[in-house]
Amino acid sequence: MCGIVGYIGDKNAQSFLISGLKRLEYRGYDSAGIATLSEKGKATLIRAKGKIANLEEKVAKNKRSDTTGIGHTRWATHGEPSEKNAHPHKAGSIYLVHNGIIENYKAIKEHLKDHEFKSDTDTEVLAALINSFYSDGKHSLADAVVQALKLAKGTYGIAVISENNPDEIIVARSGSPLVIGVGNGETLIASDASALVGHTKNAIYLKDGEIARVTKDSIEVKTLNSEPVSAKVEEIETNLAAIQKGGYDHFLLKEIMEQPDSLAETLRGRIDAKNGTVTLGGPGLSESELRRISHLVIVGCGTAYYAGVLAGYYIEQFTPGITIEPVIASEYRYKQSYLPENSLALIVSQSGETADTLACLREIKKQGIKTIGIVNAIGSTIAREVDGGTYVHVGPEISVASTKAFTSQVIAMVMFGITMAQAKGVKNTILRPYINEIAKLPTEIKKVLDGSADQIKKITKKYTKYEHGIYLGRDVAYPTAMEGALKMKEISYLDANAYAFGELKHGPLALVDDRFFEVAILPKGHLYDKAISNVQEVLARGGHMVVFTNEDSFDLPVENVVKITTQLEIFAPILMNILSQLFAYNMAVAKGNNVDQPRNLAKSVTVE
Ligand code: AGP
């Protein structure tokens, strides 16, 4: 996620901004920048692509004794990583840094003909909008920001300065955190308190819909409707590591717990449950191109592959007549397989840099097949080489084990499938249940996290003695079992493997003994009863089974059952995968493993 810092006081702004941005590096970014104002209001804007060290090098050649400034580390959402897209963005006399996404930036941009746009970002549009109110001299900077924010739709955490008045910084937030550090003769701004540690212990956490005008010795907070707010000064956490993990013990747990928000970002501006529509701008395929698709190949590695398998099951349910082929990239790249004429390839990758996946992309493009990226890292190699794409927008996934990206990859692919089905004339009565459930998924995930995290932690203790695990499921629960087994093996180093329930009799049943525990993914549905008989087969052989289910009537004598109460039927397996994530996390912690950097693994496998 992007990072924001700001400083106004008597010390050197450039040095606070650079050190503050370094504190925020852990959040992941692809470019950075600062803007400072001299006492007379002369602005110095310095930006750089890549690491903060690149920015630091430029600042060293452009030292200023300015005492007011703002800074930003950018995790690209609109516009690829580059110096021109880096923040702060300038419009007239103002400079702006922004975290979040302005959904209606294109519509706003249409009305800002006087501004010569230099970047591809939504942020520059917001800067120009603020300036359109400020430049007429009839509004204070704070008022101009208020007028602009009333027109902007989406999420923001912003800091704004103007050459006309170096003695103030305006900050505002809606959906993206902002903290105001209360110093002694100085005021500090940050998107998270880690940048304030060592400078002050007292801070005001701005709330959604609030705006503040800060000077070096005053902080005035109001609502966007100009109602004064008596903001509470709180003591900040001084443990840097704790702040950077959002207060969680590990990035992995933070990323599991933030899935309601990260999935909401994936859906933002793309799904309209009220009207039953899904709109994806990125793939850039016409209705006729979508209608012509007869074969979908879905390429990925590891979790990205399992996301493709699961999404493929769902897309097949509502798009009759097309064939779907999820493939493991490292296998597919060497196969002499030729894709039929009306094929389309979905290229799935969180990092957008996985070597095998990238190699497949290039092979498939040689066959003249269109490629659509399902990627998280904006501007990554895969994102730049596909013909079109849908970013999943989950923010940096720092832990090696992929969790929030998996959930959003599956749903992004299902949303793509829905746009394809809509183009093929599939009735809305068939698609509506999927759309309705997708819209509810963030809330349902939150309920599972709130309701089952403690139970999973408790049952994990009983399974730490095992070295082998079997994950089982039928239909959509089978790829869910695959992903659950990968999470377990990846971070707990336990030999966990997934099998289709129906395969048990063809071999895996021979494994069942006291060395193994079993996890059964058991969603309600047309195959539930069949799966129940498979559970009984395992129990009859002394299985040590944990069941994840949304069927309240489940009552077989398994060792542990985690029941989730959810309105969802179709996407219940996504919720059960959350349980698998928590199970694997707790097992890894119990084993004392390095949860975020498991042995032998890397976050992005950029070599074969
Ligand atoms: C998943 O937890 C692993 N980290 C790994 O399987 C990963 O999904 C795989 O390497 C693909 O990475 P990508 O999504 O960045 O391409």
Side-chain angles (χ1 to χ4, degrees):
M1 223 44 109
C2 310
I4 285 177
V5 290
Y7 179 82
I8 187 162
D10 298 322
K11 297 185 191 117
N12 183 285
Q14 284 183 334
S15 54
F16 171 80
L17 298 175
I18 292 292
S19 63
L21 290 178
K22 283 180 175 173
R23 288 278 181 81
L24 303 179
E25 282 197 281
Y26 74 94
R27 303 161 66 100
Y29 66 100
D30 47 54
S31 52
I34 64 171
T36 56
L37 295 173
S38 72
E39 280 176 357
K40 293 194 172 42
K42 182 179 180 317
T44 303
L45 174 63
I46 307 171
R47 300 179 294 182
K49 185 181 172 186
K51 292 299 174 200
I52 289 173
N54 301 343
L55 177 66
E56 214 169 357
E57 214 176 294
K58 291 180 127 181
V59 170
K61 293 175 190 147
N62 213 337
K63 280 192 172 304
R64 292 283 179 279
S65 56
D66 300 351
T67 57
T68 301
I70 54 177
H72 188 261
T73 46
R74 180 171 184 250
W75 169 269
T77 55
H78 294 80
E80 66 170 17
S82 63
E83 183 173 334
K84 73 167 178 141
N85 286 333
H87 305 199
H89 284 285
K90 178 180 185 324
S93 69
I94 72 164
Y95 294 78
L96 166 73
V97 291
H98 164 231
N99 283 355
I101 291 181
I102 303 299
E103 287 167 31
N104 60 339
Y105 79 100
K106 283 185 181 156
I108 293 172
K109 190 169 181 175
E110 287 303 307
H111 299 286
L112 297 169
K113 299 295 181 200
D114 299 350
H115 180 79
E116 189 201 334
F117 284 93
K118 298 192 175 62
S119 80
D120 316 316
T121 65
D122 55 337
T123 303
E124 187 184 1
V125 171
L126 183 57
L129 182 62
I130 295 169
N131 189 51
S132 70
F133 290 105
Y134 184 57
S135 56
D136 64 11
K138 291 183 193 130
H139 291 88
S140 68
L141 184 57
D143 290 345
V145 171
V146 167
Q147 296 310 314
L149 292 180
K150 285 185 171 177
L151 297 175
K153 285 201 191 88
T155 55
Y156 58 81
I158 59 170
V160 194
I161 55 175
S162 161
E163 292 172 299
N164 297 344
N165 181 354
D167 298 327
E168 66 175 1
I169 300 177
I170 308 299
V171 293
R173 73 156 279 178
S174 178
S176 193
L178 262 187
V179 190
I180 304 172
V182 185
N184 185 4
E186 61 186 18
T187 303
L188 311 110
I189 309 290
S191 48
D192 86 45
S194 58
L196 305 181
V197 171
H199 295 279
T200 178
K201 281 194 173 169
N202 304 309
I204 290 170
Y205 288 81
L206 218 49
K207 293 188 182 57
D208 281 352
E210 291 182 347
I211 180 169
R213 175 180 181 272
V214 306
T215 67
K216 67 180 187 177
D217 43 28
S218 71
I219 299 168
E220 192 187 357
V221 183
K222 289 185 178 174
T223 66
L224 284 190
N225 301 322
S226 305
E227 290 133 8
V229 171
S230 54
K232 194 169 129 223
V233 179
E234 302 178 44
E235 196 162 319
I236 61 173
E237 159 73 63
T238 54
N239 173 334
L240 217 43
I243 295 172
Q244 292 178 345
K245 289 169 189 156
Y248 294 106
D249 292 341
H250 303 96
F251 282 112
L252 181 57
L253 185 58
K254 172 174 176 283
E255 288 155 9
I256 290 171
M257 299 307 277
E258 68 190 9
Q259 286 179 96
D261 296 333
S262 55
L263 181 58
E265 283 307 307
T266 308
L267 303 184
R268 189 177 299 285
R270 292 169 166 169
I271 193 153
D272 177 350
K274 194 160 154 285
N275 300 311
T277 55
V278 169
T279 316
L280 295 180
L285 297 173
S286 65
E287 290 266 313
S288 60
E289 285 177 307
L290 286 168
R291 197 166 30 255
R292 276 205 306 275
I293 297 168
S294 61
H295 182 72
L296 203 52
V297 60
I298 309 178
V299 183
C301 299
T303 284
Y305 166 66
Y306 297 137
V309 179
L310 180 54
Y313 269 87
Y314 282 122
I315 296 170
E316 267 167 357
Q317 290 174 2
F318 55 71
T319 317
I322 78 164
T323 50
I324 298 182
E325 184 189 10
V327 295
I328 294 171
S330 56
E331 285 294 301
Y332 191 73
R333 66 181 287 190
Y334 298 109
K335 279 177 78 175
Q336 298 310 319
S337 76
Y338 292 95
L339 291 164
E341 194 187 338
N342 291 321
S343 294
L344 182 83
L346 295 184
I347 310 295
V348 192
S349 177
Q350 187 286 130
S351 64
E353 302 298 344
T354 300
D356 287 319
T357 310
L358 179 58
C360 279
L361 164 59
R362 290 169 175 167
E363 282 306 312
I364 290 170
K365 284 183 76 171
K366 280 180 198 159
Q367 294 185 39
I369 300 291
K370 276 225 167 177
T371 55
I372 301 294
I374 305 291
V375 175
N376 187 36
I378 309 283
S380 54
T381 308
I382 288 172
R384 278 184 286 110
E385 295 195 15
V386 289
D387 297 303
T390 292
Y391 282 121
V392 294
H393 287 317
V394 298
E397 192 176 61
I398 295 172
S399 195
V400 167
S402 184
T403 49
K404 60 180 182 173
F406 172 82
T407 301
S408 287
Q409 284 163 349
V410 174
I411 297 304
M413 283 187 268
V414 171
M415 288 199 288
F416 174 77
I418 290 170
T419 61
M420 183 174 59
Q422 283 168 333
K424 285 173 176 288
V426 174
K427 288 197 181 60
N428 209 11
T429 47
I430 291 175
L431 299 174
R432 200 72 189 249
Y434 290 85
I435 295 170
N436 291 343
E437 286 210 5
I438 289 173
K440 290 177 189 158
L441 200 41
T443 310
E444 293 299 301
I445 290 175
K446 177 98 178 61
K447 279 192 224 163
V448 168
L449 290 169
D450 292 347
S452 308
D454 290 346
Q455 185 185 1
I456 292 279
K457 190 170 182 176
K458 280 197 196 86
I459 67 169
T460 301
K461 293 188 181 65
K462 298 180 194 167
Y463 296 91
T464 51
K465 63 179 184 253
Y466 291 94
E467 282 308 311
H468 306 280
I470 293 177
Y471 281 66
L472 297 158
R474 275 186 180 269
D475 193 62
V476 287
Y478 174 38
T480 308
M482 291 175 180
E483 169 58 13
L486 173 61
K487 277 307 84 76
M488 184 59 86
K489 65 165 73 89
E490 182 173 21
I491 59 178
S492 75
Y493 313 152
L494 195 151
D495 166 32
N497 294 294
Y499 304 99
F501 253 134
E503 274 293 282
L504 273 177
K505 290 192 199 61
H506 303 283
L509 199 55
L511 291 171
V512 175
D513 65 18
D514 289 342
R515 293 172 304 143
F516 282 74
F517 71 84
E518 299 77 27
V519 175
I521 310 290
L522 225 50
K524 275 183 187 169
H526 67 296
L527 293 172
Y528 175 79
D529 292 341
K530 283 237 180 292
I532 285 292
S533 57
N534 294 135
V535 167
Q536 287 165 326
E537 284 167 11
V538 175
L539 293 183
R541 287 151 182 92
H544 302 281
M545 187 176 272
V546 181
V547 165
F548 296 158
T549 185
N550 58 330
E551 179 48 77
D552 193 43
S553 64
F554 178 87
D555 62 0
L556 291 177
V558 295
E559 273 180 8
N560 285 282
V561 53
V562 181
K563 285 185 183 176
I564 54 175
T565 311
T566 175
Q567 309 166 37
L568 307 187
E569 297 261 340
I570 301 168
F571 293 107
I574 296 279
L575 303 178
M576 290 167 201
N577 185 57
I578 302 286
L579 300 179
S580 293
Q581 292 172 351
L582 290 167
F583 191 27
Y585 170 74
N586 283 290
M587 187 73 87
V589 170
K591 288 175 175 281
N593 293 350
N594 182 337
V595 173
D596 286 324
Q597 270 81 37
R599 67 185 183 194
N600 311 337
L601 301 179
K603 182 60 185 170
S604 177
V605 183
T606 54
V607 293
E608 275 198 54

